[in-house]
């Protein structure tokens, strides 16, 4: 009797290592290629999928070009999704990932949203651990604590049919890159200060995400379409677009980061607010975002914090008129943006309707305190169950 | 004195032919590969662009895989756009393109929207002519009038930087494929009848386009994100999603086609309506759409048409409640969808809110008459300045 084989799952235990590191030393982190985000490590992990056979054995291969038909689904219909995470070399010599299962689970959600195949997020996490273990000796050596590499798991629809349909073939690849600045730590290992970022509010005619769209998934289509507005902001000397939504000009995200506002309420109490992850799906559920919320609730609670640090943390809708009003009444204390790639950066100015809302940096110490705590966790100066230790042989 | 050279424009006169046709005969059009939209012609035209040097000389090369870094902008951030057009072998033996400059101009608009480089649309058109001339002898032979090939000009951001920015490198490629069904013409060269298409209205939580988004551009990000809802419709036995927008459930598009409704007004006059190309940018400005509007205004005017064919043609907002009301009052005469790939298809049913709105096919003859006229123009049975004749050597 013939046995029907079911499609194979993604299985990290079947990893095949088919590449050794390039013997050349890793480049300095201030070379032009690093600044241009073009310095990738020597090797990547790939796995291919077909509807019929499921996932292939994952492979460690040299980082390099992939081959796709011009008709490939990912190139024609943007069936693509990715994740962004970092691996850190700690001051205790150990290698850490920051809440990485969260990213792997979000990758599955993004893949599902864009009609790419499913996988067990724990298997993806094992592959990420393995790649870190293989690449770290050269790229994050133990004698360089305080350094980090950026990881980019990516999945694309590689089906060569030009028909508009769910891809029957896909590719997963995980690769690593030096992500230039901001500096995470100072020479002596403290959290580095960050310069103020300048945001320009999006025009009424430019929208990055909408209810029923893909704003809560990390899919390529969310990004390319925002480059035009981003370019307009850059031309006017701003760093990022502050993406607003709806006639009441709700704040959603800034560039590709989540955003927080610290203001005083009319009764004088401090509040830290960030837009909610509601059913509209306008906001990406950032790993840094949720960590900042959890840390702030712990560090700035009535029970733990000094009087001047006590701060309620709320996920709620924020409109530009609220920010304007807080600013004009002297109640706007801090605005900051957070994300894996761009870290935790304070905002010094928001351009809106031809006006400039200035935000003084340093009025409160919440952001430096959060940055310091995050850095301590990531680089092993503080015990935390938020980190995975990467086992190195 | 050093002369700064400005970036080179796309220049069809610099085309280099670096491939000959595969000597194998073209496959039959009913093979599985054709049905799966995987039968491409032997050669494609490519050109590469860098911000510094501009466009390379275009090249005719064998159709085959392209090489991209895993970090390529098109794969990570969906910097990609495309066009869809057809080339027809006429009953007079000549090869025709249907209003092709319109597609080339739209391609420029899409490229600009998604931050890809500009080019002269007339140069793109010359390259398309050339590819048709080269590939037609084998793939659209003169002894097979009534046949057609689908052309897919594509542009992608090939920049290998993982940084989120406007791509500094891009690739253009133009390739051709057999597009399976619907049959355009019958054995004796008349316009083929089409079976009724069944549409399922999108749910409130699924939205394909939004004001300020990319709905009016032909970019990949518009497509992949709609596959999930498309899959739900297919599972329920429908052919395409009818994309609605807003609380008043406006009709926008169906699948990747434009949509028309013919109804009787309360005073009993026939009207043909289609959603407008307004500033919200929800609707793709289809080439077939505009041609149908222009033809219908000509063919069904008070001056030219018999009493029962006279029909006013309007671009205006259409809501589902209007369609429901027209249906229940017996005023709904025809619904049809149009597009280059899917041609002109009558709709037999619309699923909406758990109900089924049936549309009888054949109540009016407007759609068959439009289809016949379009076919006559495309295959050279009727003179028209809408077609470009491809010069063959």
């Amino acid at each position: 009797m013939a046995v029907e084989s079911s499609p194979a799952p993604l299985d990290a235990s079947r990893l095949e290592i088919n590449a050794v590191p390039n013997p050349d030393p890793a480049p300095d982190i201030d070379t032009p290629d690093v600044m241009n985000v073009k310095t990738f490590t020597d090797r990547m992990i790939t796995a291919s999928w077909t509807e019929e056979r499921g996932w292939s054995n994952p492979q460690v291969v040299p980082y390099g070009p992939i081959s796709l038909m011009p008709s490939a689904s990912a190139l024609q219909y943007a069936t693509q999704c990715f994740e962004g995470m970092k691996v850190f070399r700690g001051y205790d010599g150990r290698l850490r990932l920051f809440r990485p299962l969260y990213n792997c689970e979000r990758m599955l959600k993004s893949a599902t949203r864009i009609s790419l195949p499913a996988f067990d997020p724990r298997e993806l996490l094992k592959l990420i651990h393995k790649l870190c273990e293989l690449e770290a000796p050269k790229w994050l050596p133990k004698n360089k604590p305080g350094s980090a590499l950026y990881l980019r798991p990516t999945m694309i629809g590689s089906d060569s049919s030009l028909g508009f349909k769910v891809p029957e073939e896909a590719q997963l690849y995980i690769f690593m890159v030096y992500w230039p600045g901001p500096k995470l730590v100072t020479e002596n290992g403290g959290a580095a200060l960050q310069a103020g970022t300048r945001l320009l509010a999006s025009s009424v005619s430019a929208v990055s995400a909408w209810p029923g769209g893909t704003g809560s998934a990390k899919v390529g289509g969310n990004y390319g379409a925002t480059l035009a507005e981003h370019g307009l902001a850059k031309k006017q000397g701003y760093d990022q677009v502050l993406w607003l939504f709806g006639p009441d000009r709700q704040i959603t995200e800034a560039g590709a980061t989540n955003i927080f506002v610290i203001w005083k309420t009319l009764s004088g109490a401090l509040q830290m607010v960030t837009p909610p992850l509601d059913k509209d799906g306008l906001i990406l559920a950032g790993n840094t975002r949720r960590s900042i919320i959890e840390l702030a609730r712990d560090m700035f609670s009535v029970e733990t914090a000094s009087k001047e640090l006590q701060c309620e943390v709320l996920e709620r809708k924020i409109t530009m008129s609220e920010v304007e009003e807080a600013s004009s009444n002297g109640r706007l204390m801090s605005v900051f943006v957070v994300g894996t790639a761009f870290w935790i950066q304070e905002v010094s100015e928001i351009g809106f309707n031809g006006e400039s809302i200035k935000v003084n940096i340093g009025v409160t110490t919440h952001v430096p305190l959060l940055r310091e705590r995050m850095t301590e966790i990531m680089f092993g100066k503080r015990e935390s169950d938020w980190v995975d230790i990467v086992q190195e042989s």
Side-chain angles (χ1 to χ4, degrees), chain A:
Chain A
M1 203 175 98
V3 177
E4 287 236 359
S5 61
S6 56
L10 184 65
D11 184 350
S13 73
R14 294 178 164 273
L15 182 68
E16 298 166 11
I17 299 181
N18 296 320
V20 295
N22 182 319
D24 298 338
D28 291 334
I29 63 162
D30 52 4
T31 60
D33 265 4
V34 172
M35 292 302 151
N36 290 327
V37 208
K38 285 185 175 179
T39 301
F40 303 92
T41 72
D42 302 316
R43 293 173 287 182
M44 61 179 174
I45 290 179
T46 66
S48 59
W49 174 90
T50 69
E51 188 173 64
E52 192 184 345
R53 294 189 300 276
W55 286 100
S56 73
N57 290 352
Q59 309 263 329
V60 176
V61 297
Y63 181 79
I66 55 172
S67 175
L68 284 171
M69 293 306 273
S71 55
S73 180
L75 295 175
Q76 297 289 338
Y77 308 124
T79 50
Q80 54 183 255
C81 64
F82 67 88
E83 267 303 323
M85 39 210 304
K86 278 183 176 164
V87 56
F88 305 90
R89 177 62 77 185
Y91 288 91
D92 59 353
R94 294 207 285 179
L95 212 53
R96 286 176 178 79
L97 292 159
F98 183 77
R99 310 182 91 176
L101 185 59
Y102 185 79
N103 294 93
C104 297
E105 287 169 342
R106 189 173 64 181
M107 177 96 171
L108 173 59
K109 283 181 200 161
S110 300
T112 304
R113 176 66 186 84
I114 206 71
S115 300
L116 287 171
F119 55 88
D120 183 338
R122 291 165 301 184
E123 297 301 312
L124 175 59
L125 180 55
K126 286 179 200 164
L127 293 173
I128 288 166
H129 271 261
K130 191 69 193 178
L131 186 63
C132 291
E133 180 199 335
L134 289 169
E135 297 297 86
K138 169 173 164 183
W139 292 86
L140 283 183
K142 291 189 181 182
N143 62 1
K144 287 196 181 162
S147 55
L149 277 166
Y150 180 89
L151 280 145
R152 177 60 65 98
T154 303
M155 204 194 299
I156 61 169
S158 51
D159 198 320
S160 65
S161 166
L162 196 64
F164 178 54
K165 64 179 178 59
V166 171
E168 291 167 23
E169 294 173 34
Q171 294 279 343
L172 169 71
Y173 40 96
I174 310 164
F175 58 93
M176 298 170 89
V177 66
Y178 277 146
W179 197 274
K183 225 170 136 90
L184 299 179
V185 289
T186 60
E187 295 291 311
N188 59 25
L193 289 177
Q194 308 296 335
T197 290
R198 301 175 67 231
L199 306 180
L200 179 63
S202 58
S203 62
V204 177
S205 62
V207 172
S208 71
W210 56 83
T214 53
S216 63
K218 213 161 171 71
V219 299
N222 291 344
Y223 292 81
T226 68
L227 283 170
E229 189 80 355
H230 180 68
L232 293 177
K234 286 289 226 185
K235 263 191 196 154
Q236 294 180 59
Y238 291 90
D239 298 304
Q240 295 288 346
V241 176
L242 175 61
W243 289 102
L244 306 183
F245 181 77
D248 58 354
R249 311 275 73 202
Q250 291 170 47
I251 288 175
T252 61
E253 297 184 356
T257 60
N258 293 120
I259 185 163
F260 288 77
V261 174
I262 303 178
W263 57 30
K264 276 191 180 146
T265 64
L266 291 175
S267 62
L270 280 179
Q271 261 183 0
M272 185 184 296
V273 291
T274 191
L277 310 177
D278 64 12
K279 65 172 174 47
D280 280 348
L282 299 180
I283 311 289
L284 187 76
N287 200 357
T288 313
R289 175 189 179 279
R290 71 161 185 157
S291 302
I292 291 292
I293 291 172
E294 293 172 37
L295 279 182
R297 284 191 174 142
D298 177 40
M299 293 166 66
F300 308 135
S301 72
V302 178
E303 291 77 24
T304 57
S306 63
K307 189 84 183 157
E308 73 271 19
L309 275 181
Q310 287 173 14
C311 181
E312 187 183 22
V313 182
L314 294 175
E315 296 178 72
R316 59 95 121 176
K317 194 168 101 169
I318 309 167
T319 65
M320 275 308 297
S321 60
E322 290 180 299
V323 172
E324 281 185 303
E325 197 190 320
S327 170
S328 58
N329 296 346
R331 296 187 290 104
L332 186 63
M333 310 308 285
S334 176
V335 179
F336 61 105
V337 296
V338 311
T340 297
F342 294 98
W343 193 218
I344 303 168
Q345 303 209 39
E346 285 176 272
V347 172
S348 60
E349 185 185 340
I350 300 173
F352 177 60
N353 279 349
E355 308 273 313
S356 167
I357 302 172
K358 303 280 185 195
V359 193
N360 287 322
I361 292 180
V363 173
T364 71
T365 56
H366 296 81
V367 178
L369 288 169
L370 287 167
R371 201 154 45 206
E372 186 183 16
R373 179 67 64 93
M374 288 282 277
T375 310
E376 287 171 353
I377 294 170
M378 288 163 165
F379 290 105
K381 289 191 164 179
R382 179 183 282 266
E383 283 291 312
S384 168
D385 57 9
W386 280 359
V387 290
D388 273 22
I389 304 284
V390 176
Q391 298 301 330
E392 294 174 277
S393 50

